[in-house]
Amino acid sequence: GEDKSEVVYSVIHSRSLEGEPGYRLLSNVSKHSGCDPVAALEMRPEYIKSILKPLGMLQHPIVFITDGQSFEVLQRLLTDPDIGPLIRLVPEEASWIGGDMTLGLMSNVFIGNPASTFSGFIAKSRVAMGFGHNYLFMSKDGKGGYRPSCGDVCIFNSKVMGVMS
């Protein structure tokens, strides 16, 4: 709506995909997209900062949405001195799939896991609506940071996404 330009925030969608199966899924996506095979599962502070800092988004709230399977990811982000104070959690009693989708869809920056169909749905919807700053396919840049390994259209590529495309 009219107030969207005044509300500035990022969303991190953390999806562990049941542990080891998640690593296998992301590894398969990585082979076809060039993205890092673990970064989107682990969501380490350095990964998040390498995306948000160049965009000037480390001064705005970061909404964390999750399947609740990997408390370690949230704990790492909360204890980081740069990211921790910015993290916002949706109260459990208010959290639901439609609300999480809307938060991701309307965010200024969306960071998700390309092996997650939920992240994929949000990214596809954002692309269809003309929103940029979708970060699912990231690879190490050789300088301690990350860079996009393929563009937003990767989420629609059946070779990259397999049955999830």
Side-chain angles (χ1 to χ4, degrees):
E2 295 174 19
D3 298 328
K4 169 115 173 66
S5 62
E6 296 176 27
V7 179
V8 179
Y9 69 99
S10 300
V11 164
I12 297 171
H13 175 236
S14 175
R15 179 77 163 100
S16 68
L17 300 162
E18 292 77 39
E20 197 54 43
Y23 283 97
R24 284 194 302 274
L25 268 173
L26 186 54
S27 176
N28 193 43
V29 170
S30 172
K31 289 175 188 168
H32 299 288
S33 71
C35 72
D36 187 274
V38 299
L41 280 168
E42 296 179 351
M43 297 283 183
R44 295 193 176 273
E46 299 75 28
Y47 177 71
I48 301 302
K49 287 190 254 191
S50 75
I51 295 168
L52 296 180
K53 187 175 182 179
L55 300 171
M57 292 298 288
L58 282 178
Q59 55 196 333
H60 299 285
I62 302 168
V63 179
F64 186 84
I65 58 176
T66 182
D67 60 5
Q69 292 181 352
S70 184
F71 182 70
E72 298 81 28
V73 171
L74 177 58
Q75 201 57 41
R76 272 195 302 268
L77 295 174
L78 285 171
T79 58
D80 182 85
D82 299 318
I83 295 174
L86 302 173
I87 295 288
R88 304 294 183 266
L89 302 173
V90 177
E92 195 172 322
E93 65 275 7
S95 181
W96 67 291
I97 195 167
D100 286 355
M101 276 190 213
T102 303
L103 283 166
L105 179 62
M106 299 307 295
S107 64
N108 299 83
V109 176
F110 178 68
I111 302 171
N113 181 341
S116 162
T117 55
F118 190 78
S119 280
F121 179 82
I122 292 171
K124 286 175 182 177
S125 299
R126 287 174 55 84
V127 170
M129 292 180 66
F131 296 165
H133 299 298
N134 300 302
Y135 297 92
L136 279 75
F137 302 95
M138 303 295 288
S139 61
K140 290 183 179 175
D141 66 7
K143 302 174 195 163
Y146 292 83
R147 61 173 175 70
S149 62
C150 60
D152 284 342
V153 295
C154 266
I155 199 70
F156 296 102
N157 186 319
S158 60
K159 183 177 179 186
V160 172
M161 299 304 297
V163 296
M164 296 184 297
S165 62

